[in-house]
Amino acid sequence: MATLRLPRRRSALAWVLLAAVLAAPAWAAVPGSARQMTLHLDPAERLLAGELVQPLPAGGRFALLDGLSVSAARCGEQPLELARDTDGRWVVPACSAPTITLSWQGRLERPSREQRHAVGEAGTFLPTRGEWYPHLVDDAGPLRLEIHTPPGQRAVASGSLVEEQATADGRLARFHHPRTREVEVATGPWALRDRDVNGVTLRVLFPEALDAALGETYLERAAYHLAAFQARLGRFPFDSFSIAASPAPVGVAFPGFTLLGERVIPLPFVPDTSLPHEIMHAWWGAGVQVDVASGNWAEGLTTYLADHAVAEASGEDAALRRGWLLDLASLPASRDAALRDFRGGPDPAGRLIGYQHGALLFHGLRQRLGDTTFDAALGTFAERWMHRSAGWQTLEATFSEAASEDLAPFFAAWRDRPGRPELALEVVRFEPSPRGGWLHGVLVQRGAHAPWPLDVPLVVETGEETVTLIQRMDIERQPFAVFLSARPLSVEVDPDAHLLRHPVARPSVLRRLLLDPQTRLLALTPGRAAELEGLARRALGFRLEALSDDVALGTGRDAAAPLLVVGTSDEIIEWRQSQGLTAPPQEGLERAGRARVWMHPDDPIGLLSGDDSEALAMLATRLRHHGQRSHLVLGEDGETRDAGTWPTDENPLRVEFTD
């Protein structure tokens, strides 16, 4: 067996940690397929020692990270010899005793780019199936986990917190999950704030300075969101929920806890955007788990029940939906895909489909079924599938049962077809009568996969009232008629963006550059091509094809791949004028602030300029956070001085009547 050599300056504590893990486990063995794990973790020295007790009648194989090695193995009370296969995995023979016990220890190496774990005093993250523990089961079952850490370090892990206490050697935390395959652990130098919210222990775990500045804000906002979500969805799936800070720039949820990046936490919008989103994942994704093979439904449902619900509570939901529709309209045809194909991951185009398109599917479903039936289906889904894996078909069957209606055509349209319909309003006329009159018209939907099933809201304003007609539409041309008691002043299709559709008015926005892998780069500053190419890659997240500085755009620019032009203020202005491009709609924008970027309103061209390299670098890091904008200006200190979207043409889905 491998020998672990300990540093002399902390050998006493480390030897205590390693010796303790080989002692009797803190809990008695759990019957059935349950696992119990004890960990002793010293992040400063990167030392890990663990013991795993579980049934393993057929044996198995597992891998451990470099630096870790098995120190002991037992089948029941009898010693067990483990072999190594040609791939370096540990081979466990069959064990006829009720449980097998494995102990392992070592110093974790610094991770490679392909590995996800991180270990250090500032923060540790040990992901599931990350080879830091013997992963020997694919069947879900109960998990009991005990974590020992040095003084100044606290731990969070999969499941509910059972107990946390100070010990002679540091801290001890125990967790329990009723049914899981996975094990995730994180530690950090965290201060603790906690509160009981309807029987759930809510905890905020931030480093001291961050805790002093924002700990109470996060505790209060988390308590507000958690109470609101419980009022709608019922019992929270865990007895505790921890919000922990991480040195990594993350926002990710696990069963019973979430990790938020220390640089993300101070952003003023996070307590009412990312935070409620991660809390909602306790129900969907971390609670009811995703059968990934059939597609990821959890991000869309979480986005709808968290992000959209928060906006709805403040009366900003229509604006949020309009923004989502603009985002989706920015997808190039080559990147559009069916929602069913979304599995997750960082790809911006895929996330738009999984999050925004998915959320709008659930909004359409709620509009169709009504709040009572929609929420009842959610409750049934959670009750039946909590801590189990479910797919799209299960979700569809649950909603169909609640609605007493076969919803397969609805789900097939919005989940399985790529794209979204584009609506038009034609042949609108009013036929007066002595007591009012009839408003007639034709709704038209277009698109490669038309028709989609739609419940189209038409809002009619008269001098006396507002009349809303919900027109069901499952053909490409749908006539409608509504009787009005007074002459109409206007009629508009879907003014509050309830429908999953293409917006008719589409301003040129930065996301058009960010989403298209065919976006090209034109670097204007002589001798700085490599620097500007690196800056553009950082801004967009992918490598761009570089063009020569003598390129002429020519004709047919609207159909061309997007172009990002980078240079100084004078270079950008001179190049724009040489290409016959109009100035930005906002006067003075080309020299505003210290750095600025703007999309040409008529062409797929973004122009990015700055007064110096530092300003350009700051602007590059902000670009992906302002995809819905047409222009962005940074001030002298790098603050956002101005950001906005170009005005659009008149709305063809609105008709106004005159005498």
Side-chain angles (χ1 to χ4, degrees):
M1 297 296 178
T3 300
L4 179 63
R5 300 189 181 277
L6 301 170
R8 183 171 299 174
R9 68 183 180 90
R10 297 187 64 161
S11 59
L13 171 61
W15 277 117
V16 167
L17 294 179
L18 292 177
V21 78
L22 301 179
W27 291 301
V30 182
S33 60
R35 288 173 292 167
Q36 58 185 45
M37 187 184 298
T38 304
L39 298 176
H40 293 259
L41 181 62
D42 185 346
E45 300 298 341
R46 310 179 67 81
L47 297 174
L48 173 67
E51 181 178 82
L52 175 66
V53 181
Q54 71 175 68
L56 200 69
R61 298 169 186 260
F62 64 90
L64 289 176
L65 291 169
D66 291 342
L68 299 180
S69 180
V70 174
S71 54
R74 300 194 308 274
C75 174
E77 298 301 323
Q78 300 301 313
L80 193 65
E81 291 294 329
L82 305 190
R84 305 286 291 274
D85 66 15
T86 55
D87 295 325
R89 293 177 298 176
W90 298 83
V91 181
V92 185
C95 174
S96 59
T99 58
I100 189 171
T101 302
L102 298 172
S103 300
W104 73 102
Q105 63 183 48
R107 176 179 283 109
L108 291 162
E109 304 286 345
R110 297 190 181 277
S112 65
R113 288 188 176 182
E114 293 76 25
Q115 295 170 324
R116 296 168 51 220
H117 71 277
V119 183
E121 276 189 296
T124 293
F125 174 57
L126 302 176
T128 187
R129 307 188 190 212
E131 299 185 354
W132 57 270
Y133 71 100
H135 181 79
L136 285 161
V137 295
D138 277 320
D139 293 330
L143 169 69
R144 290 182 176 179
L145 180 59
E146 180 178 285
I147 307 173
H148 296 260
T149 53
Q153 291 278 321
R154 294 181 184 270
V156 293
S158 303
S160 301
L161 178 69
V162 176
E163 176 188 11
E164 185 182 49
Q165 63 181 11
T167 66
D169 303 310
R171 300 199 68 82
L172 160 67
R174 292 190 175 111
F175 299 87
H176 174 259
H177 196 300
R179 192 176 188 277
T180 184
R181 298 180 183 88
E182 319 301 344
V183 184
E184 296 99 354
V185 172
T187 67
W190 298 321
L192 169 66
R193 292 176 188 259
D194 59 1
R195 180 181 299 181
D196 180 272
V197 181
N198 299 330
V200 178
T201 301
L202 181 62
R203 307 196 309 159
V204 173
L205 301 168
F206 290 173
E208 286 190 3
L210 204 55
D211 173 73
L214 293 165
E216 190 60 27
T217 296
Y218 270 79
L219 187 61
E220 291 204 358
R221 296 312 297 159
Y224 170 82
H225 295 306
L226 180 56
F229 295 160
Q230 284 179 298
R232 181 174 190 179
L233 298 173
R235 181 181 178 275
F236 192 69
F238 302 95
D239 295 332
S240 64
F241 187 78
S242 299
I243 303 153
S246 170
V250 296
V252 61
F254 303 99
F257 72 99
T258 183
L259 294 178
L260 296 178
E262 292 176 7
R263 294 186 179 181
V264 172
I265 289 169
L267 298 175
F269 54 83
V270 170
D272 289 310
T273 54
S274 300
L275 178 60
H277 186 97
E278 304 307 338
I279 293 172
M280 183 58 70
H281 265 309
W283 275 276
W284 321 115
V288 180
Q289 298 153 22
V290 176
D291 177 9
V292 178
S294 69
N296 186 338
W297 51 266
E299 291 297 356
L301 185 56
T302 296
T303 300
Y304 185 59
L305 295 178
D307 306 53
H308 186 273
V310 170
E312 190 173 9
S314 60
E316 299 175 355
D317 52 310
L320 181 66
R321 292 191 297 272
R322 291 188 191 99
W324 287 350
L325 294 178
L326 285 175
D327 286 344
L328 291 165
S330 299
L331 281 168
S334 62
R335 304 300 305 280
D336 215 343
L339 175 59
R340 187 169 203 149
D341 296 331
F342 173 69
R343 299 292 185 270
D347 173 55
R351 289 172 67 88
L352 282 181
I353 295 167
Y355 287 64
Q356 276 95 313
H357 183 113
L360 287 165
L361 176 151
F362 288 108
H363 183 66
L365 187 59
R366 178 184 164 203
Q367 295 291 108
R368 183 186 184 104
L369 303 184
D371 288 0
T372 300
T373 301
F374 183 80
D375 288 355
L378 291 174
T380 300
F381 186 56
E383 181 181 0
R384 292 177 181 173
W385 292 92
M386 189 58 63
H387 308 310
R388 300 168 62 197
S389 293
W392 272 112
Q393 293 298 329
T394 305
L395 198 64
E396 176 189 314
T398 305
F399 275 99
S400 293
E401 177 187 344
S404 299
E405 175 188 357
D406 181 9
L407 294 172
F410 175 91
F411 278 92
W414 303 111
R415 178 193 59 206
D416 301 342
R417 297 185 205 170
R420 288 147 294 280
E422 183 167 331
L423 295 182
L425 190 58
E426 295 181 357
V427 201
V428 178
R429 68 188 188 282
F430 178 66
E431 296 179 354
S433 69
R435 297 183 180 180
W438 285 91
L439 176 66
H440 296 270
V442 177
L443 285 166
V444 181
Q445 58 167 301
R446 305 184 181 99
H449 299 279
W452 283 265
L454 293 168
D455 291 329
V456 182
L458 295 108
V459 178
V460 184
E461 296 287 349
T462 74
E464 301 174 359
E465 60 181 343
T466 299
V467 178
T468 300
L469 168 68
I470 304 298
Q471 176 64 61
R472 183 151 292 189
M473 181 183 189
D474 54 12
I475 56 178
E476 294 185 48
R477 296 183 63 84
Q478 175 65 59
F480 67 87
V482 56
F483 183 80
L484 303 172
S485 59
R487 178 178 291 275
L489 302 177
S490 66
V491 59
E492 185 171 354
V493 175
D494 192 28
D496 291 325
H498 287 296
L499 300 178
L500 182 48
R501 59 179 174 86
H502 278 293
V504 179
R506 304 175 201 173
S508 183
V509 294
L510 295 168
R511 204 176 295 284
R512 187 164 184 186
L513 301 174
L514 299 168
L515 293 175
D516 197 329
Q518 301 303 313
T519 296
R520 303 158 300 162
L521 170 69
L522 179 59
L524 297 179
T525 307
R528 293 178 58 196
E531 174 194 344
L532 296 180
E533 284 181 27
L535 182 145
R537 186 166 60 250
R538 192 186 330 158
L540 272 63
F542 55 86
R543 183 178 294 277
L544 289 75
E545 176 193 356
L547 303 179
S548 62
D549 58 6
D550 60 352
V551 65
L553 295 183
T555 60
R557 295 195 296 239
D558 286 337
L563 176 66
L564 175 62
V565 187
V566 185
T568 66
S569 303
D570 289 337
E571 289 168 341
I572 289 290
I573 294 172
E574 181 181 351
W575 181 87
R576 174 184 63 75
Q577 292 173 341
S578 73
Q579 299 296 321
L581 294 171
T582 57
Q586 185 168 311
E587 186 177 354
L589 180 64
E590 289 178 296
R591 295 189 185 278
R594 187 178 172 190
R596 76 293 305 169
V597 61
W598 58 283
M599 288 295 296
H600 195 273
D602 302 319
D603 298 288
I605 299 172
L607 300 105
L608 189 155
S609 62
D611 297 347
D612 50 60
S613 296
E614 183 183 11
L616 284 172
M618 286 191 297
L619 186 58
T621 61
R622 305 283 184 86
L623 208 58
R624 278 182 280 180
H625 301 291
H626 292 271
Q628 291 182 352
R629 305 294 191 180
S630 300
H631 60 89
L632 172 66
V633 178
L634 300 188
E636 291 300 320
D637 296 327
E639 78 283 3
T640 300
R641 175 180 292 185
D642 184 24
T645 304
W646 302 138
T648 56
D649 296 332
E650 292 184 1
N651 180 7
L653 293 181
R654 178 181 175 87
V655 174
E656 296 187 357
F657 297 87
T658 64
D659 292 339

